[in-house]
């Protein structure tokens, strides 16, 4: 992997799960990482402490996404945090935060629930990117965390994959627009991954067996599987990759 020393990264939704794994991996590669959280400040501080304990650098940025003024709050906190570390610009932007309302098929999904997912999964990344583009160094990286549900029809609901599909199109189109600045934009497609949010589902032997049977590599994904792929896209090794999505699912439903 390329060395990220001297780079500055923002990872949204980084207080736990995949986001935390990404933050820790980027910090391990040398980046100063802004660990964004929506409501769990304690978890974000724990992530920052873990990074510092491993010899890395990180700071917390709190802002609830999907509400009025979310981008203003996040950017204001980010700017203050970066100033405290003698930094003003950004090199890596990882849109990881997301909202998935499970078990909401089209017959029962309400306009309020739909708007909430769009606000967090599409609107927030769009306008956060808009605000941060002037601060993003030429040659920078934008990485969207997407879902295998954009490739496989989900029985759990239509709203979430719809928003993640929009995020992928956003990345594809933005890659063309930002090409002249040598900024790459890519999406990482995540499948069945072991996190605190999936623990209950995977604790059911029937669910576990079903997911294993659908995965070519025969196991459930782990957080480092995703974080390592993001670190690759953030590195100079991925300098010639843009406008695409990388399927990091172990071969789900091939």
């Amino acid at each position: 992997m390329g060395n990220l020393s001297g780079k500055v990264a923002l990872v949204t939704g980084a207080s736990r799960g995949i986001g935390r794994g990404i933050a820790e991996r980027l910090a391990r590669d040398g980046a100063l990482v802004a660990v964004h959280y929506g409501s769990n400040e304690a978890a974000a501080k724990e992530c920052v402490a873990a990074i510092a304990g491993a010899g890395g650098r990180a700071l917390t940025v709190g802002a609830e996404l999907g509400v009025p003024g979310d981008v203003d709050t996040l950017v204001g906190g980010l700017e203050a945090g970066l100033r405290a570390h003698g930094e003003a610009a950004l090199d890596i932007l990882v849109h990881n935060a997301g909202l998935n309302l499970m078990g909401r098929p089209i017959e029962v999904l309400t306009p309020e629930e739909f708007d909430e997912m769009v606000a967090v999964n599409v609107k927030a990344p769009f306008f956060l990117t808009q605000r941060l583009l002037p601060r993003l160094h030429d040659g920078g990286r934008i990485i969207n965390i997407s879902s295998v549900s954009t490739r496989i029809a989900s029985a759990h609901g239509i709203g979430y994959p719809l928003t993640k599909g929009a995020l992928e199109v956003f990345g594809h189109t933005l890659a063309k627009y930002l090409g002249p600045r040598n900024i790459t934009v890519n999406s990482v497609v995540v499948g069945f991954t072991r996190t605190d949010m999936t623990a209950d589902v995977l604790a059911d032997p029937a669910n576990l067996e079903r997911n294993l049977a659908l995965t070519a590599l025969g196991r459930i994904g782990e957080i480092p599987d995703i974080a390592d792929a993001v670190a690759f896209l953030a590195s100079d090794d991925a300098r010639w990759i843009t406008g695409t999505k990388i399927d990091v699912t172990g071969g789900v439903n091939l």
Side-chain angles (χ1 to χ4, degrees):
M1 294 297 177
N3 193 315
L4 299 181
S5 294
K7 304 292 186 181
V8 177
L10 167 63
V11 182
T12 65
S15 65
R16 56 190 283 196
I18 290 173
R20 175 170 174 166
I22 292 169
E24 291 179 343
R25 173 58 202 266
L26 296 182
R28 191 161 69 246
D29 284 359
L32 167 64
V33 181
V35 175
H36 163 262
Y37 66 93
S39 59
N40 197 338
E41 182 180 12
K45 287 182 175 179
E46 184 182 323
C47 176
V48 168
I51 288 172
R57 298 189 303 150
L59 58 107
T60 61
V61 180
E64 182 182 357
L65 298 181
V67 300
D70 54 357
V71 171
D72 291 337
T73 302
L74 200 162
V75 172
L78 176 65
E79 290 174 343
L82 291 183
R83 279 196 303 270
H85 284 77
E87 302 285 354
L90 198 65
D91 301 281
I92 302 160
L93 173 57
V94 182
H95 292 300
N96 169 75
L99 175 64
N100 184 4
L101 300 179
M102 301 287 286
R104 309 302 290 167
I106 191 169
E107 293 89 350
V108 299
L109 185 67
T110 68
E112 293 77 16
E113 291 169 335
F114 181 90
D115 288 346
E116 190 178 4
M117 281 192 284
V118 169
V120 174
N121 300 347
V122 182
K123 186 177 180 181
F126 183 100
F127 287 102
L128 181 58
T129 301
Q130 182 190 71
R131 282 287 296 277
L132 292 178
L133 277 180
R135 291 187 176 274
L136 188 63
H137 280 134
D138 289 358
R141 303 284 189 265
I142 298 175
I143 302 165
N144 301 317
I145 305 303
S146 187
S147 167
V148 72
S149 63
T150 64
R151 174 165 65 79
I152 303 170
S154 172
H156 301 294
I158 194 170
Y160 180 72
L162 187 154
T163 60
K164 286 300 185 179
L167 189 65
E168 289 180 4
V169 172
F170 170 63
H172 178 85
T173 306
L174 195 62
K176 174 71 172 179
Y177 181 73
L178 295 178
R181 291 183 55 189
N182 200 32
I183 295 172
T184 68
V185 188
N186 293 289
S187 297
V188 170
V189 176
V190 177
F192 309 128
T193 306
R194 197 180 302 278
T195 69
D196 55 349
M197 295 180 67
T198 61
D200 289 343
V201 173
L202 296 178
D204 180 344
N207 281 333
L208 177 61
E209 185 61 31
R210 181 166 55 252
N211 290 338
L212 289 173
L214 290 172
T215 305
L217 294 183
R219 67 171 174 84
I220 300 299
E222 303 290 345
I223 289 173
D225 296 325
I226 312 303
D228 291 351
V230 173
F232 165 68
L233 289 174
S235 75
D236 189 58
D237 291 344
R239 61 192 174 275
W240 202 234
I241 301 172
T242 195
T244 192
K245 55 184 179 180
I246 297 181
D247 193 292
V248 189
T249 68
V252 169
N253 217 31
L254 292 180

